Amino acid sequence: MKEIIGIYLAAGKSRRMGKCKLSLPLAVKPLGTIALKEIMQSNIDHLLVVTNDIRADWLNSADVLRAYLNKWENIVCLQAHLGQSYSLRTGIRRAEQLGAKSVIVFLADQPFVTSKMINLVINEARNDHVYVASSDGKVLKPPILFNEKAFDELMIINGDQGARSLLRKGTFSGTSIQMSPDYLFDIDTVEEYEYAKTYYLGNINHLLSL
């Protein structure tokens, strides 16, 4: 049973970066593939990688996925250019087809997410929360888990809004878990990318031990 399904949002246009940021090298790997190993080693049952191109070169170079051939699939959102909500809905629709009881939303430009963080979110969700979000102490961020009670609301989010817009409405009861801001770091600009390279190389042994 694929009860806990991850949705890896990787269909953005990288407008602020000016080029496909997921293809940019971080150490020796494309940025968009860094978090995949940790996600696949977590307690999710299946992963949906939502892209805007079935030929996504950065994804095809992800060696880790070859070890988990039955645990993931790439689904293409042809309307991704209209906003993140379209990618999210594509993922939710497929998750429902697979019988998901909950989904965890990931961003492909958050390379430092760890399996331990993901499992903390999953474990907390067992306390009957409609959502469990990660927090850097100021802002709620992915990974965010939603149980099936939230699926209908997630399906009506519009434009360039993501799952966090639903949390701001206060529609559902939920909670958050405070994580280190470094592990929730997302990369949108050249400056953030340069910081990520320095941080990753300086902390790789620590990151790999988490």
Side-chain angles (χ1 to χ4, degrees):
M1 294 293 292
K2 297 177 174 61
E3 294 190 354
I4 305 173
I5 294 183
I7 300 176
Y8 193 69
L9 297 178
K13 287 292 187 180
S14 304
R15 291 184 179 90
R16 294 174 63 188
M17 185 69 70
K19 63 181 75 175
C20 178
K21 61 185 172 183
L22 302 184
S23 298
L24 294 174
L26 192 56
V28 295
K29 299 177 182 179
L31 188 158
T33 69
I34 299 295
L36 287 173
K37 180 179 180 181
E38 294 293 322
I39 293 172
M40 300 306 283
Q41 291 179 343
S42 75
N43 292 333
I44 67 167
D45 296 312
H46 197 66
L47 181 66
L48 305 173
V49 181
V50 184
T51 66
N52 56 22
D53 186 354
I54 194 68
R55 299 166 298 176
D57 292 339
W58 65 269
L59 182 60
N60 292 331
S61 69
D63 293 339
V64 64
L65 294 179
R66 298 189 184 99
Y68 296 92
L69 290 177
N70 297 318
K71 195 177 177 179
W72 76 281
E73 59 190 91
N74 178 14
I75 54 177
V76 176
C77 177
L78 297 177
Q79 296 175 304
H81 62 285
L82 298 175
Q84 191 181 100
S85 64
Y86 289 85
S87 297
L88 179 61
R89 292 204 299 268
T90 297
I92 295 293
R93 192 176 298 114
R94 178 59 179 153
E96 289 183 309
Q97 291 172 352
L98 293 171
K101 299 297 183 184
S102 60
V103 298
I104 303 181
V105 179
F106 300 99
L107 299 180
D109 61 3
Q110 278 185 312
F112 305 131
V113 169
T114 71
S115 58
K116 286 187 177 181
M117 293 166 55
I118 298 165
N119 291 340
L120 283 173
V121 169
I122 291 172
N123 291 337
E124 183 60 32
R126 296 191 175 115
N127 293 322
D128 203 30
H129 299 295
V130 177
Y131 73 84
V132 179
S134 304
S135 170
D136 63 5
K138 298 178 181 178
V139 179
L140 299 183
K141 293 188 171 186
I144 305 173
L145 181 146
F146 293 94
N147 73 21
E148 58 189 337
K149 295 177 183 177
F151 287 1
D152 287 345
E153 289 289 330
L154 288 168
M155 287 297 293
I156 61 174
I157 294 174
N158 289 308
D160 201 28
Q161 298 185 83
R164 284 183 292 180
S165 65
L166 184 58
L167 307 187
R168 290 193 287 267
K169 290 182 179 179
T171 306
F172 300 112
S173 62
T175 190
S176 63
I177 301 175
Q178 185 161 340
M179 312 282 191
S180 167
D182 283 330
Y183 298 124
L184 297 176
F185 187 72
D186 61 305
I187 299 169
D188 290 315
T189 66
V190 172
E191 292 76 16
E192 289 167 344
Y193 170 59
E194 292 299 327
Y195 169 80
K197 287 196 295 184
T198 302
Y199 174 77
Y200 186 81
L201 292 173
N203 293 274
I204 188 167
N205 290 331
H206 176 60
L207 286 166
L208 293 175
S209 70
L210 289 174

